[in-house]
Amino acid sequence: MSAVSSSSAALQPAAPKVLSARYMAWYRFSRNPAAVIGAFIVTSVILIAVFAPLIAPYAEHVGSVVNFRARHLPPDLEYLAGTDKVGRDILSRTIFGFRISLLLVIGVLGVSVPIGTILGLVSGYAGGMTERVITGLTNIMLALPPLVMALAIGNVLEPNLTNAMISVTLLWWTWHARLVYRVTRTVASEDYIEAARLSGASHMHILFREILPNCVAVISVKTTLDAAYVILFGASLSFLGLGVKPPTPDLGSMVADGRQYLPDMWWGVLTPGFAIFYATLGFNLLGDGLRDMFDVEA
Amino acid sequence: MLLDVKDLNLSFRTYGQTRHILKGVNLQIPEGGRVALIGETGSGKSVTSKAILGTLPDTARITSGQILFDSEDILQKKAEAREKMKGTAFSIIMQDPLSSFNPVFRIGQHLEDVLRYADIRLGEVTNHEDRIRRIDEVLQMVQLGDPERVRKAYPAQLSGGMRQRVLIALALLHQPRLLIADEPGTALDVTIQDEILNLINRLVDENGLSLLMITHNLGVVRQTADDVYVMRFGEIVEHGPIGSIFRAPKQAYTQQLVEAIPALYGERVKEQPQVEVLEGEKPVIEVEDVSKIFESRRFLRGKSEFKAVQNVSFDVFRGEVFGLAGESGSGKTTMARMIMGIMEASTGSITIDGHTRGLWNKDKDLRKKIQIIYQNPGTSLNPKRTVRQTLSVPLKALGYDAQKIDARIRELLNYVELPEHYMSAYAHELSGGQKQRVAIARAIAAEPEIIILDEPTSALDVSVQASVIKLLQRLRDELGLTYLFISHDLSLMRNFCSRIAIMRKGQLVEQGTVRDVFENPKHDYTRTLISAIPVMTEEEEQQKPEVSAEVRAQFLV
């Protein structure tokens, strides 16, 4: 545009085009190899879990199959990852193990994230006594050692998947409550919140329509990173015998089983151990990538 | 010619897209010359200065052109040689006096580090005592009376004006030949800004420096430059000696820019008519003897009190534009928040249209009557909500149904002169002026009678400011609004308000019609304030009230 002919353009300047936030976020994400790898891993884990019956070479080995003739076989063409102490295909059981891990993730985060988010929003916005009670409770819960709590709950109640989920959920909401509380405090002091209040918006409107959308980025990053920790934590619980009951295949208990025959029968822990590592790594990379993409701290 | 920028082209590469930022920029600064580079946000003036200094970000690339300093192209020099020029050949006075310092180091440490590394680069050996002596000399040059106290202070312990002086000292440590000033004093109050500009002028004169002044304020340009370059979208639109640019700008853009500057005195002042007040008519806002005291209790230290507003009284009548002027810390925003009902007055009473003001959430009737427009449209619109969503909030509170809301939003966008397709836009897709228009639409949505304008244009460029002010005036006439206009920009108030009150440190020092206050200011502070405003012409300069140095000194912090 020439400067001389700008008399009419002066009112409607041909200023540089504004890039949309979505484009910039996608650009940051797609240029980050770690994030793309993370997204690929997480997608593959989800696909494996969903289509487990189709993928697993010996889907029936998930149940209580016993085939003593084939026990403790090292990896070969028939059993790609070897067999366990009762002759079941470790690869098939690992593939199904992803299902339990994801189930745990969905169960734990599906309950604890909404609870934590709501408590964080309310405590950050309301202030006063409400704030003190909720943040106080959060701090007390955070001071409890999670594994000890889980052991206690597992011992009082019956050790199974549901109870494991409950015990993890009971502790997990605190992290989200804290995070959302912090973001809410910042957002609530912005002019646009005051402007909405002065326009006559209700508290519900402000919490869920004005503040919550500003927390979404932080929550999704935190939730993705949390998925990795929940998988690890779930595996630890099953390793300690507090998770699912046999014969359901679970990555943690498979490692625990295989551990007894180390180091001679190394394949017993290799595949389930690698599966835990793979899923955890994927969620961690994806979470980091999302953090860069949204440009938030979580 | 000391500096000669020839046909400089520069592009940025961000998000996979190349943007041509500087388009054939030509700029010349003679030895000992004072040159101003003016332009609005995004015009490329700061990028130009960074290209000269060699502090461009990695994403920038100079595609063609030369920057000759003493007839040598500095773009061809090796990185090491260019590094040596920083601080000695040219140096920059930074814009923001607070964020330019690391808060955990003392001022003396900042200055000494700069000096030591510059000495090392130049291959000179110096010791601590020697450096301190030189620092003290420079601090005295920038009129910081007690160099030792300044050196030992942490950045937060100095006032804004003092920090700006230290920044100037930082630029002068090595006697550069070209001083680049990037919006100096913009963040400071007008009285302090005036002092800073005088100081820069004196330093340039006494030391024979050349000056490149980068600013958007044309009044500042008149005070500190002889030649002017006008920049827009990366191009130099027009350049020439200051007199011809200001008196007879050739390009439409320059004309528009000059016209947009509110005048303080003379024919260009747009006198606002006084509102006729009928016999016995009650003011719509009555502020009576209001004080606000903030108490802070510190652990083991007892109570401390801060009087933000002290015994302030004024009346605003229907249809007026009442200006509340003052520098930072004068209590004008606190006053506004009390009228809004966001805060309660400690003593005294505020009456709005016959009702005593209570806190906003207990006072549903008043809430509809009075609205506010904030200073920064960037923070007063929720980034995650569209224009439609933002505007529907006050309408939902009125109980409108979806169809009625939609119709009213169209009507509101019409009022603020925005096309209807902006309904689905998010805040970041709008320019500063457009955002402020959305904020105005939100404020008038519920048909209020009074609108508090809290520096509604101070975050905007002058040409945008002019159009927003025009819009506000039109809305006042069409909708019969009353404005309480809070600002530190006295020249704008001269052209927009019908009456004005001046506040200082929580007290109201003077009030009256704008004409009276500007033509015959009574209080010394008002006189000081008016005399410090940068103006565009010599005639205006002469009509400003005379203030002696002693009187002025008394109001400088």
Side-chain angles (χ1 to χ4, degrees), chain A residues 1 23 27-28 194 210 214, chain B residues 15-16 235 337 374 382:
Chain A
M1 187 196 73
Y23 172 80
Y27 187 87
R28 278 196 292 264
E194 189 178 288
E210 304 275 348
N214 285 288
Chain B
Y15 295 108
E235 288 177 70
R337 295 176 75 79
Y374 294 88
N382 194 331

Side-chain angles (χ1 to χ4, degrees), chain B residues 63-74:
Chain B
T63 47
S64 70
Q66 292 178 306
I67 299 176
L68 303 177
F69 190 84
D70 259 348
S71 315
E72 262 187 276
D73 188 358
I74 54 174

Side-chain angles (χ1 to χ4, degrees), chain A residues 104-146:
Chain A
L104 190 69
V105 167
I106 293 167
V108 169
L109 296 181
V111 176
S112 61
V113 171
I115 292 177
T117 302
I118 290 172
L119 287 176
L121 277 174
V122 170
S123 61
Y125 178 67
M129 204 55 197
T130 321
E131 176 185 346
R132 255 172 282 161
V133 170
I134 296 177
T135 50
L137 184 68
T138 313
N139 285 335
I140 292 170
M141 294 300 278
L142 282 171
L144 297 172

Side-chain angles (χ1 to χ4, degrees), chain B residues 13-124:
Chain B
R13 191 160 174 83
T14 44
Y15 295 108
Q17 300 190 353
T18 306
R19 293 156 175 243
H20 202 174
I21 300 292
L22 295 184
K23 298 161 194 158
V25 170
N26 284 297
L27 183 103
Q28 293 179 318
I29 304 175
E31 186 86 52
R34 303 187 306 165
V35 172
L37 184 58
I38 59 177
E40 304 193 315
T41 316
S43 60
K45 51 191 198 303
S46 288
V47 175
T48 308
S49 82
K50 282 182 178 153
I52 296 168
L53 287 164
T55 53
L56 288 167
D58 294 338
T59 47
R61 212 166 64 83
I62 293 173
T63 47
S64 70
Q66 292 178 306
I67 299 176
L68 303 177
F69 190 84
D70 259 348
S71 315
E72 262 187 276
D73 188 358
I74 54 174
L75 295 177
Q76 304 299 328
K77 289 194 173 190
K78 292 217 172 69
E80 208 178 305
R82 277 201 84 173
E83 199 62 31
K84 266 189 192 166
M85 299 183 81
K86 285 180 193 165
T88 53
F90 30 66
S91 54
I92 185 164
I93 301 174
M94 238 81 76
Q95 173 178 8
D96 187 342
L98 190 55
S99 63
S100 302
F101 292 107
N102 184 337
V104 300
F105 292 120
R106 292 176 198 271
I107 294 289
Q109 188 75 52
H110 282 272
L111 289 162
E112 203 187 331
D113 282 349
V114 172
L115 198 54
R116 202 172 82 220
Y117 288 111
D119 282 344
I120 292 170
R121 276 205 301 271
L122 294 173
E124 288 170 20

